Every structure is written in structure tokens, then in C-alpha cells.
Amino acid sequence: MADFLQTLMTALAIGSLYALIALGYTMVYGVLKFINFAHSDIVVLGAWLSYSFAIRALPLVGLDAHNPATPPPIWMTAGIFVAVLLLCSLAGFLIERLAYRPLRRAPRLNVLITAIGVSLLLQNVGQLDFVFGASPQKMPALLPNWELPIQFGQGESIRYVVLPLIDCIIFAVSGLLMLALELLIFRTKFGTALRAVSFNTDFAALMGIPVDRAISLTFMLGSALAGAAGFLYVLKFPSMNQPAHSVWVLLGLKAFVAAVVGGIGNIRGAVLGGFIIAFVEQFGAYYISSNYRDVYVFSLLILILLIKPTGLLGSPVREKV
Amino acid sequence: MSASDVLIEPTSHGVNILKSAAPILVGIALAVGIQFLLPSTVGPYYSRLVIDAGIAMILAVSLNIVNGMTGQFSIGHAGFMTIGAYTAGSITFYSSLLIWGTAAKHGSFLGSGEWMFVIACLCGGITASIAGFVVGLPSLRLRGDYLAIVTLGFGEILRVLLQQTGKVVDNAEIVRNAPLTTFATVPVGGAIGFDGIPKYTTLFWVYAFLAITVIFAYRLKRSSFGRAMLSVREDEIAAQAMGINTSRQKLLAFITAAFFAGVGGGLLAHESGVIISPKDAGFQRSFDYVIMTVLGGRGSITGVMLAAILLSGLPEVLRDFERYRIIIYAALLIFMMLSRPQGLFGIHEIWDFFPRSWKTLPWKKSPREEAQ
């Protein structure tokens, strides 16, 4: 029971990270119908920006940059978070404007290849010495490492489930962001415009919706969420790999799998998919074998695609001649 | 004499066979030439580059059958390659241990060891084509991006499974006396890769297999099968309406492409200086081949070959700028997609760009001249 709860809590925290990243994939797919392979690099950008800001900001309040004795004041952590969000959405805007917009009418395969090119470019520019460097780093702790032990059983069979503060924060922050996105998409005029563009770009343009601006905003929103995921990810896993490391690519891929499992193009599906993928991965790793955790994820993907090709919440696409 | 009469020349059966075998014979003669002339003129470093380019061409041309000709977007090609590589590698490695007691290279040019290597490569191709059949099955249900995702998932699953394999058993005595259960752990090296495969790959074998691959792909493209594949690429619904069994064409494309990828993998596994490892099955390597087919042009065999040569040579040209190598590579890719989205040659072959006068041999009159 205690093991189950512990795994459940890890799965919830990781699931919300997957969901945050998956939202970006699914929103871009919704409006432009292509897999934005460069999305995982925005997560990396968010993670490394958090690190760069943290080691420069910590000395300002008299703390050691790499190994602070106490966590910095909460306004500083929040400030870093907001700065990362803004810079990541700027990066998303620039990528769309420079690389994808000229290809608006090109075959989708070309856009896909361009996305791969952008991804390679970002990874390797990030590895340059004057950017982030090509060696792993350790993220300084920005939050107190409080842990809440919950007691189970009596006497001999006493067990503890540890509930770390960081997991709660990940869950709460991503929950808030998802709620905000949900309200934005389904309750505002801008969200209606976005859904119209996603439904049919040409007709949306005829209805007077500025399609290019809507697409830019989609990219900015998705990238901001990815940046947030990067920030939260390095708070939970402080040992960071270099920007072109395959761990990051795999993180992005799993989030992408989450988007597909939930039904790509569907906002709620991405959140659902993120949690499903995290559950399958964490419980599979704990109860079967942790060596095959990627296999569970990709097998689930293939299984879902074969049973319901449009994903769990995706609507079937009718083909017309 | 009208133009149509010129095309139908009465020839005997034997001449026809000779005519159809001619390209392969020319290809193999070229391979022999490369094998004996190239290393002495350019040295071992550049010979290795030529081998690399040859293997890249085999993989890119075979991927082109799926991506370029049939229009199914596969990003798991490196998975097929790795299956071929591991199959061929374990056949030569463990057979060498059993037969000659050592895994070192046995025999000289065209000696017994090399024939075992060729058979191993073909076995690798067959195993890969079985995998191609399995991966191709979802393509009957899925289209476009979804199929791409399944092929990507296949490569990643394969990578993780290969990481869990057992250690290489490199002692002849142990291999001889081991019970079959020892092989249940699949002793191909796990995450660090399959080290110790005898290094049989030479320029001759790479270019002989390349010649076969290219001639096969070219003839396939011109055959009724190939035209059916092209029609699936252009419009699946229209192709179906014309009575083409689109499912069968897609499966065939996957199987043939996987076969040649497996053979290419066998060649790669036996190349000196290469240790085949699970990482090769991942999607990053698959992307390399996808990029080659896209740069070359959809379905253009010569274009894809040129792109394979350029892309496998580019890293060497940029070797001095090690740090900036992939950045330049990526920037070139984006620039290419923005400026020439149809690839180098588009749907054409290289000879479509030659002047008209080159296409007819000087001693032969063109049909138009004959008609006059």
C-alpha cells in the first residue's frame, strides 16, 4: 500500500510534466498539422535558462551560486520562473516566424524536416561554450526540500510514504497552468479564434480571424508551457544533462507519445495522455522491471494507435475525395 | 520507318538475358575496380569514407522505396538496419568461433570467410524484411504522421530491447560446450554494443551490394509494381479506385526497403572501426536517412544517392570546425527546405537534366531523326 502510494505520487508529478509538454505538441498539431520536433528543445531551453538565471541571481542575495545554504526568497524563485516563461515564449515566436511561417503552403513532410533541422540547430547551439556549454551541471536548490512523511501501519509493519514539497508544487503549478489554458481556449474570444483556425484555417481566415497572429500565439503559449515544464523538471531532477543529451530527446518523445495517446490536437486529451503515460511508465518500472520503462510507453502507443488511430479523445477524421 | 518500329527489335532470348544482366555486370566490374584501384590512390582514410558513403547510399536508396516512391513516412529505417546488423554480426561472429575457433577475419579476398559474410548479410536482410512486414502491417490502418510515430516507436523499442541483451561470449570452447539456454540471453553485447565482429566489409562488397540495390530500385520504379507504388504516393484513394491493392503495395514497399536496409546493416556491422550498438536503432540515425531522401527528392534514385554522398561527406569537410559541424549541417538543412523544398532533383533523375544531345549515343540516330 505504501509503495503503491509512493509510486502514485511520483507518477502524478511526472504526469503533470508530461502533460505540460504534451499540450505544446498538441496545440501546434491542432493548428498546423505537423509534429513540432523542436518542442522538446524548448523544454531544454527552459531548463538551462533556469540554471543560468539561478546561478546569477543567487549571489545577489548573498548565497553561494552552486550550493546555497538556504533556498532564496520566494520572490526570486517566482521571478526566475516568469523570466523563463517569457523567454521561452519569445523563442517559440521566433522559431515559428523564421522557420515555419515561410513553409505554410509547403508539403507537411518539408515542415517536419525543417522542424528536425531547428531541433538539431537549437541543441547544438546550446552546447556551444558561450551559450550553455557541453557539460552536465547541477541545478542549485531554489525551494526548501521539505518532505512530509505520512505514516502507515502500526508497530512492526510501520511504513512511511514521503511526500516531497517539490512534487506538490509541480502538481499545483501545472494544474493552475492547465486550468488557465483551458479557460483561455474555451472561455475567451481568442480561444474561439484559435479553435476556429484549428478547425479550418482557410475558413477562419475568411471569417476575419488573423490566422498568422493566432498561430504565433499558439506557439508562444505552447513554448511558455514547455519552459515551465523545463523549470519544474530541473527542480525535481537537479542533475542536468548537456543540451544535446538523449535524455532530453526522450523526455520530449514521451510527452509527444502522451499527446498522441490522448488524441493529438485535443487539449484535454494531452493532459489525460500525460498522466496515462506517466502511470504506465512508473507503475511498470516499479512492479515489472525498470529496465523496460521506455518499452511500456512505446508499446502502449502502438497498441492505442492500432485500436483507435486518432487517440483516446481524438475525433475520427473523415476522408473525402 | 516509324518511331514505334524502332523500339521493337527482333532479338533472341539469350540476347535479352544478356541485356538485362548487363547493368549488374557493369556494377560488379566497377566494384572490383574500386576495390583494387581506390585504396592505393587515395589511402585508407578516404577509402573508409567511400565505404561509409556506399553504405549510406544503400540505406538511403532503400528508404526511398518507402518514403519517396510509396509516400509512406517511415522514421524507423535505422531499426531495420540494426536488425540486419545484429543478425549478420552474430552469424559471422558465432559461426567463426564454432568453425575456426576464433572470431578474427578468415581467408582473403573472395575466400571462405567472405562468403560466410555475404550469406550473413543476406540473412540479416531477410530478418529485417520480416520485421518490415510486421511494422508495415499498421500502415494498412494508419496514415501519414501516425504511421511515422509507429515506426519511430518501433525503433525506440528495439533500442531498449537490445540494451537488455547479454554479454558477448568470445571463447570458442564455451560456445561449443554451452547449452542452448545460454543463448536465451541473446549474447550480443547489451548497451555497450556488439564488439568483436570480424571485419569483412570491403569496398568491393559495399559497391557490389550498392549496384544491386540501385538497379533493383530503378527497375522497380519502372515496373508496374513501382508505378502502383507511385500512384499510392500521389493519391491513395484514386489509386484504390483504379483497382490497385494499396495495402499490398505498401507492405511490399516496407518489406523490400527493410531487406536492403538489413543488408546495409550487415555491411555496417562488419566495417572496421564500427561497433554496432543499440543506439544505432534510435530515431536519430533514422533521421539521417530521412534527411537524405528528402534532400535528394521524392523518389529520385540518383538524387538520393547524391544527397547520401554529400551528407556523409559533409561532416568530414567540416571536421576542422568540429564544434560548429552539426550547427552548419542543421542550418543547411533548414535553408534547403526554405529555398528548394522539392529536394535536389525533385521527382526527376539526374539524366533528366542533361542536354538532349547526350541522351542518344552518337552512333545511334534518335527516333525523331529516324522518322524523318
Side-chain angles (χ1 to χ4, degrees):
Chain A
M1 185 64 190
D3 293 340
F4 176 80
L5 277 179
Q6 191 72 68
T7 317
L8 181 74
M9 267 175 316
T10 318
L12 281 176
I14 293 182
S16 19
L17 290 178
Y18 284 161
L20 276 184
I21 308 172
L23 281 170
Y25 277 113
T26 224
M27 282 164 64
V28 168
Y29 193 91
V31 291
L32 286 183
K33 303 282 179 289
F34 85 101
I35 306 168
N36 182 13
F37 274 104
H39 191 63
S40 67
D41 301 293
I42 303 287
V43 181
V44 184
L45 182 70
W48 277 87
L49 279 178
S50 322
Y51 168 77
S52 316
F53 286 145
I55 56 164
R56 279 168 187 77
L58 282 175
L60 298 181
V61 288
L63 289 165
D64 181 35
H66 292 278
N67 213 352
T70 56
I74 190 76
W75 56 264
M76 181 168 273
T77 311
I80 293 174
F81 182 65
V82 172
V84 167
L85 244 58
L86 289 177
L87 279 176
C88 281
S89 61
L90 178 69
F93 171 77
L94 287 177
I95 290 171
E96 195 275 331
R97 186 73 192 78
L98 299 176
Y100 300 149
R101 189 173 294 183
L103 288 168
R104 201 54 55 79
R105 299 266 159 214
R108 281 193 316 186
L109 187 60
N110 292 32
V111 193
L112 204 63
I113 301 288
T114 312
I116 295 169
V118 172
S119 170
L120 280 176
L121 191 71
L122 288 180
Q123 278 174 16
N124 290 285
V125 169
Q127 295 253 51
L128 292 178
D129 286 333
F130 54 87
V131 189
F132 297 126
S135 46
Q137 296 289 353
K138 191 176 173 304
M139 177 79 186
L142 293 183
L143 291 169
N145 54 347
W146 294 335
E147 287 179 339
L148 181 67
I150 305 167
Q151 190 182 323
F152 272 95
Q154 296 291 327
E156 286 292 302
S157 61
I158 194 159
R159 299 287 295 274
Y160 288 102
V161 174
V162 181
L163 181 60
L165 174 73
I166 177 68
D167 281 14
C168 303
I169 287 187
I170 289 179
F171 193 67
V173 170
S174 12
L176 280 177
L177 286 173
M178 286 177 225
L179 198 68
L181 185 73
E182 167 87 17
L183 292 177
L184 184 70
I185 301 263
F186 291 99
R187 293 278 187 280
T188 65
K189 210 170 174 184
F190 164 69
T192 316
L194 241 179
R195 281 181 290 141
V197 171
S198 156
F199 191 73
N200 188 324
T201 316
D202 294 333
F203 273 90
L206 288 177
M207 293 295 126
I209 294 169
V211 172
D212 279 338
R213 205 183 299 163
I215 292 174
S216 285
L217 274 163
T218 312
F219 267 86
M220 290 169 73
L221 277 178
S223 304
L225 293 179
F231 176 82
L232 295 171
Y233 185 85
V234 287
L235 285 189
K236 179 155 176 63
F237 305 104
S239 35
M240 299 162 62
N241 287 297
Q242 63 270 35
H245 197 275
S246 58
V247 162
W248 296 113
V249 183
L250 211 58
L251 176 73
L253 268 186
K254 281 184 192 161
F256 170 64
V257 168
V260 176
V261 164
I264 197 151
N266 187 314
I267 305 272
R268 289 164 190 164
V271 177
L272 178 72
F275 284 107
I276 291 179
I277 289 298
F279 275 71
V280 168
E281 188 193 353
Q282 296 301 321
F283 281 96
Y286 188 79
Y287 286 102
I288 307 171
S289 161
S290 65
N291 286 336
Y292 297 98
R293 57 171 67 207
D294 299 344
V295 172
Y296 310 138
V297 172
F298 287 106
S299 311
L300 178 78
L301 166 78
I302 293 177
L303 200 71
I304 296 255
L305 281 183
L306 286 181
I307 297 167
K308 199 166 180 302
T310 47
L312 290 176
L313 299 185
S315 49
V317 185
R318 205 171 291 141
E319 271 202 48
K320 276 182 264 177
V321 178
Chain B
M1 204 179 183
S2 76
S4 63
D5 289 327
V6 181
L7 298 174
I8 308 160
E9 286 171 8
T11 42
S12 69
H13 194 57
V15 175
N16 266 335
I17 290 177
L18 205 68
K19 251 176 135 178
S20 54
I24 295 191
L25 294 178
V26 170
I28 288 176
L30 276 177
V32 173
I34 292 172
Q35 163 77 11
F36 288 106
L37 297 178
L38 202 70
S40 54
T41 46
V42 298
Y45 174 72
Y46 287 102
S47 310
R48 219 202 120 181
L49 284 189
V50 176
I51 288 187
D52 282 337
I55 295 176
M57 277 192 271
I58 293 178
L59 283 153
V61 168
S62 62
L63 179 63
N64 197 27
I65 296 174
V66 176
N67 281 18
M69 283 165 64
T70 323
Q72 305 300 302
F73 191 49
S74 160
I75 36 181
H77 207 56
F80 300 125
M81 181 199 80
T82 315
I83 287 185
Y86 271 89
T87 313
S90 36
I91 288 175
T92 48
F93 183 77
Y94 287 107
S95 314
S96 297
L97 276 184
L98 283 176
I99 300 170
W100 299 302
T102 162
K105 195 174 161 182
H106 189 270
S108 54
F109 183 62
L110 295 186
S112 51
E114 290 217 337
W115 289 108
M116 183 171 77
F117 154 67
V118 172
I119 292 167
C121 282
L122 293 177
C123 288
I126 291 165
T127 327
S129 62
I130 294 169
F133 175 73
V134 176
V135 176
L137 281 179
S139 74
L140 310 182
R141 264 185 76 97
L142 302 171
R143 286 185 188 165
D145 300 328
Y146 292 102
L147 180 66
I149 302 158
V150 167
T151 54
L152 188 143
F154 155 74
E156 287 299 306
I157 290 177
L158 188 70
R159 181 179 62 80
V160 179
L161 290 182
L162 284 174
Q163 280 173 354
Q164 307 303 323
T165 51
K167 262 172 107 182
V168 178
V169 184
D170 53 359
N171 187 317
E173 278 310 302
I174 299 175
V175 172
R176 280 200 186 116
N177 299 326
L180 272 179
T181 48
T182 320
F183 289 91
T185 61
V186 197
V188 290
I192 51 166
F194 195 169
D195 199 1
I197 300 175
K199 300 305 174 195
Y200 283 116
T201 302
T202 56
L203 283 163
F204 170 72
W205 287 115
V206 170
Y207 280 84
F209 275 121
L210 176 66
I212 294 169
T213 313
V214 169
I215 292 162
F216 180 88
Y218 183 68
R219 291 210 167 142
L220 181 71
K221 194 179 165 186
R222 307 270 296 221
S223 72
S224 57
F225 274 120
R227 284 197 300 271
M229 285 173 180
L230 293 176
S231 73
V232 172
R233 173 186 81 186
E234 293 303 330
D235 192 328
E236 207 173 320
I237 297 169
Q240 217 157 13
M242 297 304 287
I244 286 163
N245 187 345
T246 52
S247 314
R248 195 181 61 167
Q249 295 303 331
K250 287 196 268 183
L251 263 187
L252 274 175
F254 263 99
I255 294 170
T256 44
F259 176 80
F260 288 110
V263 172
L267 293 168
L268 185 73
H270 294 81
E271 189 186 339
S272 60
V274 171
I275 295 174
I276 197 88
S277 72
K279 221 175 68 189
D280 291 321
F283 69 99
Q284 267 145 336
R285 200 173 177 115
S286 292
F287 277 163
D288 289 350
Y289 302 120
V290 170
I291 289 168
M292 286 172 196
T293 57
V294 173
L295 283 190
R298 296 212 307 173
S300 164
I301 294 166
T302 43
V304 166
M305 286 167 73
L306 188 66
I309 295 174
L310 289 180
L311 287 186
S312 55
L314 193 64
E316 304 304 324
V317 178
L318 299 175
R319 182 145 292 230
D320 296 337
F321 315 95
E322 185 65 39
R323 216 132 250 228
Y324 297 91
R325 200 173 77 189
I326 306 180
I327 298 176
I328 296 172
Y329 185 95
L332 274 180
L333 191 68
I334 299 171
F335 176 72
M336 180 86 187
M337 280 297 110
L338 295 180
S339 58
R340 195 173 166 81
Q342 72 273 43
L344 288 174
F345 294 161
I347 55 168
H348 303 285
E349 297 292 350
I350 195 166
W351 43 82
D352 294 338
F353 298 93
F354 292 158
R356 191 169 277 262
S357 58
W358 291 14
K359 285 182 197 164
T360 46
L361 296 170
W363 59 87
K364 252 189 187 171
K365 282 181 180 173
S366 74
R368 185 183 292 172
E369 282 168 329
E370 296 251 10
Q372 282 163 357

